[in-house]
Amino acid sequence: AQRDFDFKVVFTGSYQSRFLKANLSQPADDWGVGLKAVIPLWDSHITDSNVAGRLQKLNALERQREQTLADLRTALVQNVEDFKSAIETAKLLSNALKYAQADLKLKNEQFLSGLTEAEDVLRAQQNLIMVELNLINALIDIKSTLAYIYFLTDDERYKQW
C-alpha cells in the first residue's frame, strides 16, 4: 500500500499541585506545556512505494494515450472514407437532379398536351423534391465530415469548406 508523507505534531501539557514541606499552607503549582514535531527526512518505504505507484500511474496513462491515438487514427480514416462516399453520393444526386428536372419538364409538357394525367406530374414533382432533399443531406454530410476531420487534424485545408 502506498503511504503518504507522514509527519506528527504533538502538543502536550501538564499541571501538578504539591505542597512544599517548608510551607504546607501554600501549594506549589507546577505546570508545563510542550510541542513536539516529528518530520521524517527519509523513509525508504514511503519513497519506494511512491515511486512504484507513480510508475504504475505513468504506465497506465501512456497506455491510455496510445489507445486514444489509435482511436483518433481510426476515426480519422473512417471520416475520410465517409467524406469520399458523401462526395460520390453528391455527384450522383447532382446528375439525378438534372434528370428529375428534365422529367418534370417533360411530364408538364405531356400533361399540357393531354398525353398524361396529373398524377404523373405530381409523381415527377415528388421525385424532384426527394432528389433535392437527398442532395441537401449529402452536402450536409460532406460539411459535417469535413468539420470533424478538421477537428481531428487541425488542418486548415479542411476549414475552408
Side-chain angles (χ1 to χ4, degrees):
Q2 182 176 349
R3 291 174 43 191
D4 292 329
F5 183 69
D6 189 21
F7 68 93
K8 296 177 185 157
V9 176
V10 179
F11 182 73
T12 60
S14 66
Y15 174 76
Q16 182 178 11
S17 180
R18 58 190 171 103
F19 292 95
L20 299 174
K21 291 181 183 178
N23 189 357
L24 290 176
S25 62
Q26 289 191 344
D29 294 330
D30 288 334
W31 56 273
V33 175
L35 179 65
K36 179 180 176 183
V38 177
I39 301 173
L41 298 176
W42 180 261
D43 184 339
S44 64
H45 172 73
I46 292 173
T47 303
D48 292 344
S49 64
N50 280 345
V51 168
R54 300 257 194 273
L55 284 176
Q56 287 176 348
K57 288 179 183 177
L58 183 63
N59 290 336
L61 287 172
E62 184 61 31
R63 285 190 302 274
Q64 184 180 3
R65 179 183 165 276
E66 289 170 3
Q67 182 61 46
T68 301
L69 287 175
D71 292 345
L72 287 173
R73 279 191 285 276
T74 302
L76 181 60
V77 167
Q78 181 61 46
N79 275 279
V80 167
E81 291 300 318
D82 291 347
F83 172 71
K84 290 177 182 178
S85 175
I87 290 286
E88 288 302 314
T89 302
K91 287 178 183 177
L92 292 173
L93 288 169
S94 179
N95 290 335
L97 181 64
K98 292 174 189 172
Y99 292 128
Q101 289 168 339
D103 184 48
L104 178 61
K105 183 178 178 182
L106 180 64
K107 295 294 182 198
N108 279 331
E109 290 173 2
Q110 288 175 344
F111 177 73
L112 293 174
S113 300
L115 299 172
T116 189
E117 297 181 13
E119 287 179 356
D120 293 329
V121 175
L122 291 174
R123 272 193 228 107
Q125 288 175 340
Q126 184 180 17
N127 187 33
L128 177 63
I129 291 170
M130 292 294 286
V131 171
E132 287 173 340
L133 290 175
N134 286 334
L135 180 58
I136 290 170
N137 283 336
L139 295 174
I140 290 171
D141 287 345
I142 291 171
K143 294 273 190 181
S144 64
T145 304
L146 282 174
Y148 195 65
I149 291 171
Y150 174 69
F151 170 73
L152 292 174
T153 62
D154 201 28
D155 189 341
E156 292 292 324
R157 292 178 294 172
Y158 299 107
K159 187 177 182 181
Q160 67 187 351
W161 288 77

